[in-house]
Amino acid sequence: MKTISSLALAAALALSAFGAQAQDNVVKVGVTRYTTHSKTNGVSGIGVPPGADAETGDATTVIFVYERLFTPQVGLEFVLGIPPTIKAKATGSVAFLGDNVLSAKNLAPTLFLNYHFFAPGDTLRPYIGAGINYTKFTNVKSSLASDVKLGDSTGLALQAGINYAITKDLGLFASVAKLDVKSKLVASGASVLTTTIDFRPIVYSAGLSYQF
Amino acid sequence: MRAFRSLSPWVFSALLLAACGGGDPSVPGTGSPSGAPTTKGSFTAVVSFGDSLSDIGAYAPATSLAGNGSAPYFGGKFTTNETSTGAPDANPLGKVRVENVAASLGIVVTPAEVGFDGVSVKCPAAAVPALAGTCTAYGQGGSRVTDPNGIGHNPVNGKGALTVPVVTQIANHLARFTSFKDTDLIFVWGGSNDLLTQFGIFLAAAAQIQADAAAGKLTADQANQALFAAQTTAQAAMKVAAQELVTDIRTQILAKGGKYVAVMTLGDAAGTPSAQPLPVALKPVLTSLSQIFNLWLRDGLAGQSVQIIDTFTLFSDISANPAKYGFLNITTPACDIAKISAVTGGAVTTGSSLFCNATPGAPYNGLTAGADVTTWFFADDVHPTTGGHKAWSDIFTAQLKSFGWI
């Protein structure tokens, strides 16, 4: 939370320092493939056989992006997607429990401070960004427990992308981002299962951008 | 000021933790009780609720030497028994934990209800007016938390064990004594027979699943899923039992004046001789049923003014270090199945210690050759010898001391 507020503060300072320029707003809409490479610290709980584990799956969703450019190179970008449903399958000694032991929607607003290479007007402009991701899990459900909670996660976000200008305003973008998303799971049914899931998502996005 | 300011969030979170009984509020069962007395009680009664582990002779008439329900009795408690008249006496043989703890406090305690086969007498000690207030040992072998049809009770004709459930035992105490008193030392140890019942249901289901799998009716995955489901069903039932017990403790004991209340967790049944014939793979299921019960017991008692005596941990220590408690044998029942069958004319084939007499030389002595009731822990497949009860008594006394109650 501290990081979020200092980032916001930095953004506000940047805004006031640089003032408005021509074409300093960018909106994007795109399709995102949210691929997870999850690891847990093992599922623990009474009655859980040794070696029980779970693995999260991938999801596809639509994202909306707004970037405010403070200089021709530096911008602050806010990314918000329609929360996709992430499912988890049982693995290890409990693989027999199947492919859908947990599902949750993840609302994952992400803030990046981007650096754009080359100059405005160039056809291809790569960019890199670093920032912060906040992930909140909603609609958490499990066939194994009546009450499941997945904790919120705040973590580092890194991305690299490229923008291809079709016209002065309109373009195509593609990006890949790595997020740090860790969440503590507490599933209470007859027993109480706990684990910490490190989702380790790599997010591939592509879509349209519009600059004004 | 600076120190105060930087400290205050910690103080605040400590207060919050204390308020909710500590632990991680997001994880059920990690909290602790709080607010139980920390000062010595002036006890005049030991009020004990539970099952065979707290039974001080409810079924003595079933062991009538004359066979007509009248004294003398050759058994009557779930331990290695003395021959008795059913009246309190000083003989250490056949003494069980509730009696030992009471005796160490100079308190006389007698069974709240005595009978068998549908016939029973409440507070038989009241025949001696001076003892009318002593019949506060409610534990009965086979009793469950809320289900009146406990183990050994025939639900069709009401014969066999009485198995008055723990919640009814508590209600009976309130009916007789109106409320709990500050001078009552209260013990609640229920759930063992719910565990044995649920595990029995699980075992039957598991046997069917294994048979179906062997016959090719189920794939390995389907069999595992079915076993998992059967295990979950048993666990869910243990959760219900624990929550029902907690509700009753809160609304019928604590809310009715109970001040010095000790609640016991369930020990690990997998550490008893009863679990020895089980396939290795099923023992963890048995253990998990105790743990599930204990988890929800703790969860419900978090922040409640009781003390928990964690017999799960305590029994695990006895199992792992028998010599520390003076035991040479913690695996073999001291009572002989064949002898008990002979003594009961073939009526009791389980070797139940209820019918196990340890009087040396008695023709109805049921001990295994070479068994020693002080150095062997188990009388039968789940119940302690008098030596086992003595160990429990010492442990309970130490716990009461650690609470500051005695």
Side-chain angles (χ1 to χ4, degrees):
Chain A
M1 280 318 281
K2 198 165 201 175
T3 332
I4 289 185
S5 50
S6 29
L7 256 171
L9 185 66
L13 284 173
L15 280 172
S16 58
F18 295 107
Q21 301 187 12
Q23 288 209 315
D24 50 9
N25 297 297
V26 184
V27 290
K28 299 177 188 173
V29 59
V31 174
T32 274
R33 181 71 178 158
Y34 189 92
T35 66
T36 66
H37 306 78
S38 72
K39 271 188 178 174
T40 75
N41 58 348
V43 180
S44 53
I46 296 162
V48 178
D53 210 343
E55 197 176 294
T56 58
D58 303 338
T60 303
T61 189
V62 174
I63 54 162
F64 304 96
V65 182
Y66 171 74
E67 184 174 13
R68 174 79 177 182
L69 290 163
F70 306 126
T71 77
Q73 264 72 43
V74 177
L76 189 67
E77 180 181 87
F78 181 71
V79 185
L80 189 61
I82 295 173
T85 299
I86 309 267
K87 289 183 179 177
K89 65 175 178 181
T91 60
S93 62
V94 291
F96 63 83
L97 289 174
D99 288 344
N100 189 10
V101 290
L102 178 74
S103 74
K105 286 182 185 293
N106 65 327
L107 180 68
T110 308
L111 202 61
F112 287 107
L113 193 60
N114 288 335
Y115 181 83
H116 298 264
F117 296 94
F118 310 141
D122 288 354
T123 309
L124 281 175
R125 290 198 70 190
Y127 59 93
I128 53 172
I132 191 157
N133 164 264
Y134 172 75
T135 300
K136 184 176 181 62
F137 296 92
T138 59
N139 289 56
V140 188
K141 285 175 194 157
S142 170
S143 52
L144 303 179
S146 49
D147 177 25
V148 196
K149 292 188 181 75
L150 264 174
D152 300 350
S153 162
T154 304
L156 189 68
L158 297 171
Q159 72 166 348
I162 189 160
N163 200 70
Y164 171 74
I166 302 170
T167 70
K168 185 167 168 289
D169 310 322
L170 208 58
L172 297 172
F173 81 96
S175 72
V176 55
K178 182 181 183 304
L179 310 177
D180 181 12
V181 181
K182 259 192 195 178
S183 175
K184 182 179 169 187
L185 170 83
V186 179
S188 308
S191 185
V192 177
L193 314 183
T194 57
T195 187
T196 298
I197 305 176
D198 186 353
F199 287 84
R200 304 199 304 166
I202 305 281
V203 184
Y204 302 93
S205 308
L208 282 174
S209 66
Y210 179 74
Q211 196 161 353
F212 59 97
Chain B
M1 200 55 204
R2 174 173 273 254
F4 176 74
R5 288 180 73 143
S6 54
L7 265 175
S8 55
W10 295 104
V11 173
F12 185 58
S13 25
L15 284 173
L16 275 177
L17 283 175
C20 64
D24 180 343
S26 72
V27 183
T30 58
S32 307
S34 62
T38 53
T39 52
K40 281 192 175 137
S42 308
F43 300 119
T44 57
V46 168
V47 184
S48 163
F49 304 103
D51 47 41
S52 53
L53 294 172
S54 309
D55 185 330
I56 68 167
Y59 303 147
T63 70
S64 162
L65 274 172
N68 60 4
S70 62
Y73 309 119
F74 68 89
K77 296 172 201 166
F78 293 85
T79 188
T80 41
N81 289 275
E82 64 163 333
T83 311
S84 77
T85 62
D89 65 33
N91 185 358
L93 191 67
K95 287 291 177 291
V96 291
R97 174 188 50 87
V98 173
E99 297 168 292
N100 293 338
V101 171
S104 72
L105 299 172
I107 295 167
V108 176
V109 64
T110 63
E113 185 173 1
V114 174
F116 206 73
D117 276 346
V119 181
S120 70
V121 179
K122 284 189 177 161
C123 199
V128 178
L131 295 178
T134 64
C135 48
T136 52
Y138 293 84
Q140 293 185 343
S143 291
R144 295 181 60 181
V145 172
T146 59
D147 193 332
N149 296 312
I151 293 177
H153 182 77
N154 186 326
V156 179
N157 59 16
K159 296 246 176 174
L162 303 174
T163 70
V164 171
V166 174
V167 295
T168 307
Q169 295 172 13
I170 295 168
N172 288 346
H173 182 80
L174 290 172
R176 186 175 185 90
F177 296 94
T178 314
S179 66
F180 289 93
K181 313 287 188 289
D182 288 0
T183 51
D184 291 339
L185 176 57
I186 302 160
F187 293 103
V188 185
W189 197 355
S192 290
N193 292 303
D194 295 85
L195 184 149
L196 294 174
T197 302
Q198 298 307 332
F199 190 65
I201 295 169
F202 168 80
L203 277 185
Q208 185 61 49
I209 291 161
Q210 279 168 341
D212 287 350
K217 291 185 199 162
L218 295 174
T219 65
D221 271 4
Q222 286 169 333
N224 276 326
Q225 285 161 12
L227 277 173
F228 189 86
Q231 177 183 336
T232 304
T233 301
Q235 290 176 343
M238 290 311 292
K239 176 181 178 180
V240 169
Q243 292 183 329
E244 287 173 340
L245 184 59
V246 163
T247 300
D248 216 60
I249 290 168
R250 291 167 72 153
T251 63
Q252 301 303 311
I253 296 182
L254 296 176
K256 301 280 170 74
K259 189 174 171 193
Y260 290 91
V261 183
V263 182
M264 277 62 91
T265 61
L266 292 185
D268 182 4
T272 65
S274 69
Q276 285 164 10
L278 286 177
V280 171
L282 295 185
K283 288 190 185 183
V285 179
L286 186 55
T287 301
S288 81
L289 296 187
S290 304
Q291 291 172 313
I292 293 285
F293 182 89
N294 296 345
L295 186 161
W296 295 108
L297 189 73
R298 282 184 191 285
D299 186 55
L301 292 176
Q304 299 296 311
S305 57
V306 303
Q307 285 283 8
I308 290 177
I309 297 181
D310 187 10
T311 70
F312 187 95
T313 307
L314 295 164
F315 177 58
S316 296
D317 193 51
I318 299 174
S319 295
N321 310 292
K324 182 172 142 191
Y325 298 89
F327 294 105
L328 302 175
N329 187 331
I330 192 144
T331 53
T332 320
C335 302
D336 187 289
I337 292 177
K339 284 183 184 172
I340 287 171
S341 178
V343 166
T344 59
V348 178
T349 55
T350 57
S352 170
S353 60
L354 177 65
F355 303 94
C356 179
N357 187 284
T359 308
Y364 40 82
N365 180 300
L367 289 186
T368 301
D372 183 325
V373 299
T374 56
T375 61
W376 290 31
F377 187 83
F378 282 104
D380 59 20
D381 59 353
V382 287
H383 302 111
T385 55
T386 45
H389 271 286
K390 171 73 166 54
W392 274 128
S393 311
D394 294 345
I395 289 168
F396 272 55
T397 301
Q399 293 273 313
L400 296 173
K401 279 188 180 146
S402 74
F403 305 154
W405 292 2
I406 61 172

